[in-house]
Amino acid sequence: MLIDPVTIVQLVNTFGYLGVFVGSALSSLVLFFPLPSFLFVIAAGSLLNPFWVGIAAGAGAAIGEMIGYPIGIGIARGYKKFKKNDKRRNRKLERAIGKWFHRKLGPVIIFLFAVSPLPDDFVVIFCGIIKYDIRKLFLSLLLGKIIFSMALAYAGY
């Protein structure tokens, strides 16, 4: 069910940038079934300053996406309990992937998923599984989401 354009205009006029921030955060909290916040950001960009709409929407989306990190940590803990009979070769592969992501292209991959409409839930969960540095994750996610949100807001402008 899509929201009526008149309702979007009323929400933006009533809550302004705070509404954009909260709307983006809430839509990003939903894992794997994203709510279409991009329509809201485009509409807000036509009513408010698109630069600040992009900042508010990007920050909200980045904060909302971080819900996947503790889920990834939980998955890693659960996996450790069940892998008692795991072969040595699989553990070496896990460590190699984790080290590669930490040292090489982790921030780039996170940024590319965040700056595009690709589902970045999997990347954030993966970062939780390998215990990737949460500050690097959030910074890469924040930059990508702000740029993506600014593009949407200026499209509405």
Side-chain angles (χ1 to χ4, degrees):
M1 177 177 148
L2 291 175
I3 296 175
D4 181 31
V6 175
T7 307
I8 292 175
V9 170
Q10 289 172 344
L11 286 171
V12 171
N13 284 333
T14 304
F15 297 106
Y17 299 109
L18 179 62
V20 172
F21 174 82
V22 171
S24 264
L26 290 176
S27 70
S28 294
L29 277 173
V30 180
L31 293 175
F32 309 119
F33 301 107
L35 299 175
S37 67
F38 62 90
L39 297 174
F40 185 68
V41 174
I42 292 170
S46 68
L47 299 170
L48 301 170
N49 183 329
F51 178 80
W52 294 112
V53 167
I55 297 289
I63 289 170
E65 288 293 341
M66 291 302 290
I67 191 69
Y69 192 82
I71 291 171
I73 290 175
I75 290 170
R77 286 182 184 157
Y79 179 68
K80 283 181 183 178
K81 289 181 181 180
F82 291 108
K83 72 172 193 172
K84 292 178 184 176
N85 296 328
D86 194 10
K87 294 182 181 175
R88 193 172 183 200
R89 146 182 65 143
N90 289 342
R91 280 184 269 153
K92 284 183 180 180
L93 179 63
E94 290 171 15
R95 278 191 237 122
I97 291 171
K99 284 181 184 178
W100 173 82
F101 195 82
H102 282 287
R103 292 183 189 167
K104 302 288 180 183
L105 297 176
V108 174
I109 292 169
I110 297 165
F111 176 80
L112 289 176
F113 272 82
V115 80
S116 69
L118 294 172
D120 46 9
D121 300 326
F122 299 108
V123 175
V124 177
I125 291 171
F126 175 74
C127 288
I129 290 171
I130 66 168
K131 294 180 180 81
Y132 188 71
D133 184 5
I134 196 166
R135 293 170 297 190
K136 289 180 184 178
L137 168 66
F138 183 72
L139 183 62
S140 299
L141 203 58
L142 180 65
L143 290 174
K145 290 294 183 187
I146 287 175
I147 291 170
F148 183 65
S149 296
M150 276 190 187
L152 292 175
Y154 276 105
Y157 179 71

